[in-house]
Structure formats: structure tokens, C-alpha cells
Amino acid sequence: MASPAPSDPVVHPLRRLWAYATEFRRRIVTAVVATVLNKLFDIAPELLIGVAIDVVVRTDDSFVAQIFGVEDREQQLYVLAAITVVAWVLESVSQYVSDRMWRGLSQDLQHDLRMDAYRHVQDLDLAWFEDRASGRLLTILGDDVNQLERFLDVGASKIVLTATNVVAVGAVFLAISPTLALLAFVPIPVIIGGSLLFQRRLGPRYAAVREAAGRVGGLLGGNLGGIATIKAFGAERREAARVAGASAEYAAANRSAIALSSAFVPLIRMAILTGFVVTLVLGGKAALDGNLEVGLYSVLVFMTQRLLWPLTELGETLDLYQRGVASIRRILDLLDTPIGIRSGGRQLAAATPGAVRFDDVRFSYRPVPPGAAGPAPASDAVEDRLVLRGLDLDVPAGETHAIVGATGAGKSTVVKLLLRLYAPDAGTIAVDGAPVEELSLPSLRGAIGYVGQDTFLFDGTVADNLRYGAPDATDEQLRHAAELAEADAFVRDLPRGYETPVGERGVKLSGGQRQRLTIARALVRDPAILVLDEATSAVDNETEAAIQRSLLRVSRERTTIVIAHRLSTIRHAHRIHVLHEGRVVESGTHDELVAARGRYAALWAVQTGEVVGATG
């Protein structure tokens, strides 16, 4: 699939879609050709009616007699009947092909767009998500893609049919009577002008509808995800009122668009009436005066309705068009979002040791002005935004290192940078001497087993969740990892053991059970580097002690980085690093840091109930 055209507001969304859909262009052209042929065969009966009347009125001098050389009127009717059968069969066949092509296109193109957009979203860096509501993304990936499907399924073919109808019928009028053609086409500029006017006014209204739909989706998604909190605070009515307000805004935006689009059909009806009356009166007068054959007059009367009446559906088609264009723009704008963190080309060795090093790393969650990062001193405004301010950290392979510090010191940021969920503003992060930006993301993240503060489990069985990072893991490997995480015993007690469903986000399990399963999930991968970000924050003291025993065993075989709030969990680390305002201000073993009576000693004293003044 080709990359979409740049999101230049001057470039029409349909042109951008054409640039994107390179693999579908042949099918699109085939669908258009089938639709054009279907309309041409569709107007053939009106022409044949005029020819039949011509046979009855002119007898031996009829059009059929002149073309086919058949003088007997009954035989002429048989000829017309045969032509009619062929025309109807071809119309039916072309309609079948047209419907199959457009509907197949709508399904396949919307599928590719949804999947390309979803894959692209997965490749965007984490910072991009923090400024956007998940409900808006769900609306784009769901409802907007469905709007495009409806437009391709119905609207696109109607546009082609209408255009073909105008051109083909116009050609018939010009061939029969250029004067009547001119008069019959007088309403067309009114209809086209009205269409363009409505299009310009409907566009912003349907864009507002899509935005309102995104707000409703975001609110609903957030509320359903936080239903327990809503119930705990007794906020059901308040949240219902918020949803009602957002839903009312969506309904109001739709009503505004509907009010304008509904006025379109009456306008077209008046234009149709004008064209029909002109043809009826002036064409009839020409036939009475002998200036126009009766058969041709009947063709023009039928063709006037054929020309103008389908335009009554232009309002509905325009409605589908505007909704589709608004959705296409949002989908392609999402696809145009630049990827900030791209995969490198280097691969870590299968048995990589797992040494980690941070050299003078600086990072801010908000963009730092160009030139502010680097060895040169930054301004106060830039420094205020920095989370890490020249971080140096060396974790040799096979050792367990802990990172501690007050809230906001940048502990979890270190882990996110190591996983390349974010990119540093300056400095170097390396694994086994290889800068992480040079490593492929699957290789880097495949070497790391991550256990975060958020104990997120997917809707599936215990085994499904444990295999999430290693789909080919055996049952024995699952049980071994669960034993290391002190999870095997409670899993075996579940109704179906490892095949027990955990529910969405693991709601059927306790917080401690979820936490132990996330640790086991990381261990199933047998990673070279194990990262534990507050991994025991949601467990009780007994479970914490059990997990600590298991971590002592697994950490002997791999590099382990522990982000800890409970200092008792990292007493046996080879080295403890104390972060303060984005820098390492103390490093050493537990005993060394307590003896130094600095920041670590103060934190230890608070947690153990002692009162000690820090000197660092």
C-alpha cells in the first residue's frame, strides 16, 4: 500500500485516498466501467419505447425498417423485443458486476485502512498518546472507517451513475433536438450550483459531527474503564449527565447538518419540474407542428424524467459524500502522523549479556527548544522542563541495580527510555555497547522483561497472558515462570487452572495475583534484562517476601533493574542509585548508603520508623 499524500489542506481527501489505494486502482476503474455500462443499458428501454412508438406511427418507414431492413411491422416488434431482452440481460449482468466490485472494494479498502492506521498508531511514540483521548482514536479506527465503507458501498456508485446519466441523456437530447436539449438542461446549473453551495456549507458541519462523535466515544470509553471508581464515589448520575451533555452536542451537530441537507431535495424537485414542463410543452408543440417525430417526442419526455429525477437522490448522495470525505480526512491525517521513534538495523545476540549504560542523558516530556539540549548550559525555562538532567548510570551484565528517589525524580522515566518508549533529548543509552537507537525495536524489547506499575492483563486465560511475550512457550515453561513469581500455587487453585479466564484487565483476580502474573509473564521470555518498575507495589507483605525470594533466584542469571519505593525490597542489590531532580546523587550498596547518612539514609529512616536528618 502506498504512503498517503501529505496532509496538505489544499489536497482533496479523495485525491489523497487515490494516492493511498495503489493496489485497488484497477478494481476501482473496473467498478466505474461496470457502473457506466449499467447506466447506459438502463436508459436503453426509454429509447426502445420511442422506437416502438415509431414502428406503430410510421409503419414501413420506421427507424427499425430503415436500420434492419424489416418491413413487416410484427417482425419489427420481434426485433425490438430481442434487443430489449439483450439490453435487460446486459443491464442485470453489469449491475451484478458493479455491486460486487463496489461492495468488495468497500470491505477490502476499509479493512486495509483500518489495519494500516492501527499498525501506524502502534508505531507512534508514547508521548503522542498522552495528548490524545483514546475515544477519539477509537472513533477514527471504528466509526470513521465504517463511514468510508458506506460511502464506497453506496455513495461512490451513485455519483458515477448520476454523472453517466447526465452525459448519456444529454447526448440523446442533442442528437434529437439541440434546442430542447438546451432548455431541458437549464435546471442542471441550478442543481450543480446548489450542490456546490450545499457541499461547502455541509463540509464543516459534518467535520463537527465527527469531532462530536469522537468526544462521545472518548467519554464512554473512559467511563467504562473507570466504572469501579464511578461507583465507589457514587458519581453515576453525574457521569450520566456528562455523557448526556456530550451526546446532546453530537445530536445537535447532526441536526445542524440534517437541517441543511434536507433542504436540498425540495430545491431539486423545483428544478426538475421546470425542465419537465419545458420539454412537455415545447416538445409537444414541435410534434403537433410536424417538426418532431412522435417517437422522438416520447423519447424526450421519458428522457427528461430520466435525466432529472435521479438528481433527487443527490441530497442523500451528497450526505454520504460529505460524511465519507470528513472520515477519509481524519483517517489519512492519522496515517500522516510522523513516527518519532523508528527501529534501528542492528540486532542483539541471542545470548546477549545485558549490560546497560546511560551517559549524560537529558530528557523532557515536553519538547525542548532546538539547541537547548546538549553539553551547553540550558536556560532556566528549559531546565524546568527537564526530567533527567545529565543522568549517568552503569549497570554491568548480570548485576542487580536499584533506582530509588522521591516521586517525580525520574525513576520510571529511566525505564521508558531504556525500552525506547521515548527518545532522550541528549546523551546516549546503550545495551552491551550498542546505542539503543541503532538496535531494532523487536531485538531491544525482546531482550527486556518488563513488569510495570500498571498490572495490565488481557481478556483471556492465565496461559494466554503468560504466553503474551513468548507465544511458543511450553506449559512447563509457564509453570516454571509462575513458580518463580510465587504464582503457581494460586493458579492451580483457580477453577480451570492455567486455562481460567482472567476477565478484561484481569478483573477476576486480586491486585496481588495480577502483579505476580505480570512478573511471571516477564520471566516466561527468559530475558537478558529484567526491569521491575514498582513490581511489588500492589502485593501484601507476605506475597512481597515470597516474590523477593524468587527475585533473588532469577536475578542471578540476568541483569536486573529495580525501580523501588519500598527500600526493603532492594537491600540485596549490587548497587543502589538515588535519583534527585534528574541526576544520580548517591550510589552504593544498602549498607554504604545508610552509613553515608544522605538522602537514601533519610528515606530508609522514614520507612523503618527512625528519625534521621539527611546530610545530602
Side-chain angles (χ1 to χ4, degrees):
M1 191 66 64
S3 299
S7 53
D8 186 341
V10 176
V11 180
H12 195 278
L14 289 182
R15 288 186 60 190
R16 295 172 61 193
L17 183 64
W18 178 259
Y20 166 84
T22 52
E23 296 178 8
F24 294 92
R25 290 179 182 176
R26 180 174 295 180
R27 292 172 62 185
I28 293 172
V29 171
T30 303
V32 170
V33 170
T35 305
V36 170
L37 290 175
N38 175 245
K39 174 51 65 176
L40 294 178
F41 292 129
D42 180 52
I43 64 176
E46 277 77 5
L47 292 172
L48 294 174
I49 289 173
V51 174
I53 294 174
D54 188 59
V55 169
V56 173
V57 173
R58 297 175 60 190
T59 63
D60 296 341
D61 193 31
S62 68
F63 179 78
V64 175
Q66 295 177 23
I67 298 298
F68 295 98
V70 179
E71 297 182 358
D72 183 75
R73 286 189 294 176
E74 185 174 341
Q75 292 296 323
Q76 292 178 25
L77 292 176
Y78 288 147
V79 170
L80 282 178
I83 295 173
T84 301
V85 169
V86 171
W88 276 68
V89 169
L90 291 176
E91 180 193 0
S92 300
V93 171
S94 60
Q95 182 171 352
Y96 171 79
V97 173
S98 174
D99 289 348
R100 281 291 302 271
M101 293 301 298
W102 283 118
R103 291 179 181 179
L105 273 169
S106 69
Q107 295 302 315
D108 295 342
L109 186 52
Q110 63 90 15
H111 171 75
D112 278 17
L113 262 176
R114 179 182 283 114
M115 293 311 303
D116 284 350
Y118 177 72
R119 294 188 189 101
H120 185 77
V121 166
Q122 287 191 125
D123 290 336
L124 295 173
D125 52 285
L126 207 57
W128 184 86
F129 290 89
E130 294 173 349
D131 294 329
R132 287 159 181 83
S134 59
R136 185 177 185 275
L137 290 176
L138 289 174
T139 301
I140 293 174
L141 296 174
D143 195 37
D144 279 330
V145 174
N146 293 338
Q147 288 287 353
L148 171 61
E149 176 191 354
R150 285 189 284 273
F151 170 68
L152 291 174
D153 194 12
V154 180
S157 61
K158 282 190 174 182
I159 290 174
V160 175
L161 286 171
T162 302
T164 304
N165 186 72
V166 171
V167 173
V169 175
V172 173
F173 263 85
L174 286 172
I176 296 175
S177 173
T179 302
L180 282 177
L182 179 63
L183 294 174
F185 271 71
V186 166
I188 299 295
V190 177
I191 295 172
I192 294 176
S195 300
L196 295 175
L197 176 63
F198 272 75
Q199 178 183 338
R200 284 196 297 269
R201 297 187 63 184
L202 275 171
R205 298 194 185 197
Y206 278 121
V209 169
R210 305 308 324 134
E211 290 298 325
R215 288 192 291 272
V216 172
L219 187 57
L220 289 173
N223 283 8
L224 291 175
I227 190 66
T229 303
I230 292 172
K231 287 180 175 295
F233 282 88
E236 292 92 341
R237 291 187 178 180
R238 185 163 67 251
E239 291 302 325
R242 289 179 64 203
V243 172
S247 181
E249 290 179 5
Y250 173 67
N254 252 319
R255 282 195 296 270
S256 175
I258 291 169
L260 188 59
S261 64
S262 298
F264 189 66
V265 172
L267 173 66
I268 294 178
R269 284 180 180 273
M270 295 302 100
I272 291 172
L273 176 63
T274 302
F276 187 78
V277 168
V278 167
T279 304
L280 183 69
V281 174
L282 297 184
K285 187 175 184 302
L288 290 174
D289 293 341
N291 297 324
L292 183 66
E293 296 293 341
V294 175
L296 294 179
Y297 170 64
S298 63
V299 169
L300 291 182
V301 171
F302 282 115
M303 284 294 181
T304 302
Q305 188 172 11
R306 174 66 72 174
L307 170 68
L308 300 176
W309 188 254
L311 296 179
T312 58
E313 297 182 354
L314 201 56
E316 178 184 351
T317 304
L318 203 61
D319 186 85
L320 288 170
Y321 172 80
Q322 287 296 349
R323 289 177 184 267
V325 165
S327 294
I328 291 169
R329 181 180 288 111
R330 283 158 55 93
I331 297 166
L332 295 182
D333 283 349
L334 178 60
L335 276 169
D336 285 343
T337 304
I339 297 173
I341 297 176
R342 293 191 175 274
S343 185
R346 294 179 60 178
Q347 304 290 324
L348 288 171
T352 189
V356 175
R357 185 176 182 84
F358 284 66
D359 286 324
D360 194 25
V361 173
R362 296 158 64 87
F363 174 76
S364 62
Y365 283 101
R366 294 180 180 179
V368 175
S379 66
D380 291 341
V382 172
E383 285 292 328
D384 288 343
R385 288 197 295 266
L386 288 173
V387 178
L388 300 182
R389 306 162 186 263
L391 175 72
D392 293 309
L393 188 66
D394 187 13
V395 183
E399 292 191 5
T400 297
H401 283 224
I403 301 174
V404 302
T407 301
K411 304 185 297 295
S412 295
T413 301
V414 172
V415 174
K416 293 174 181 177
L417 291 173
L418 176 60
L419 286 164
R420 288 202 75 202
L421 300 178
Y422 295 91
D425 300 328
T428 302
I429 304 169
V431 174
D432 291 329
V436 292
E437 64 270 14
E438 296 180 6
L439 296 171
S440 74
L441 291 175
S443 176
L444 171 65
R445 293 170 182 170
I448 300 173
Y450 172 68
V451 182
Q453 301 175 45
D454 181 16
T455 56
F456 189 93
L457 296 178
F458 294 90
D459 189 10
T461 65
V462 171
D464 291 337
N465 276 278
L466 294 183
R467 284 195 176 94
Y468 192 74
D472 298 328
T474 64
D475 292 343
E476 183 58 36
Q477 289 173 316
L478 299 189
R479 284 192 292 272
H480 178 64
E483 288 171 357
L484 290 176
E486 302 284 344
D488 181 66
F490 88 77
V491 171
R492 289 180 182 273
D493 289 338
L494 294 173
R496 296 170 57 186
Y498 283 84
E499 297 305 316
T500 302
V502 301
E504 189 174 2
R505 299 183 67 92
V507 294
K508 296 182 179 180
L509 304 176
S510 69
Q513 289 173 331
R514 291 196 299 270
Q515 189 69 281
R516 281 182 278 177
L517 286 182
T518 59
I519 295 173
R521 179 172 62 191
L523 296 177
V524 168
R525 306 182 73 178
D526 191 23
I529 304 168
L530 181 62
V531 176
L532 306 169
D533 186 0
E534 303 282 7
T536 59
S537 61
V539 299
D540 54 37
N541 291 334
E542 181 180 352
T543 304
E544 179 186 339
I547 292 174
Q548 280 304 114
R549 292 193 299 270
S550 66
L551 291 179
L552 284 174
R553 295 195 298 272
V554 300
S555 62
R556 295 193 189 103
E557 306 170 5
R558 70 195 82 243
T559 304
T560 306
I561 299 174
V562 183
I563 309 296
H565 174 69
R566 298 180 185 177
L567 302 186
S568 60
T569 64
I570 47 101
R571 289 186 62 180
H572 301 291
H574 291 91
R575 198 163 187 83
I576 300 171
H577 307 275
V578 182
L579 258 63
H580 178 66
E581 294 183 349
R583 295 185 179 91
V584 175
V585 295
E586 293 179 359
S587 290
T589 65
H590 171 77
D591 292 336
E592 290 171 348
L593 293 175
V594 170
R597 299 178 64 81
R599 292 187 179 278
Y600 181 85
L603 292 172
W604 177 256
V606 170
Q607 293 192 16
T608 57
E610 301 177 17
V611 180
V612 179
T615 60

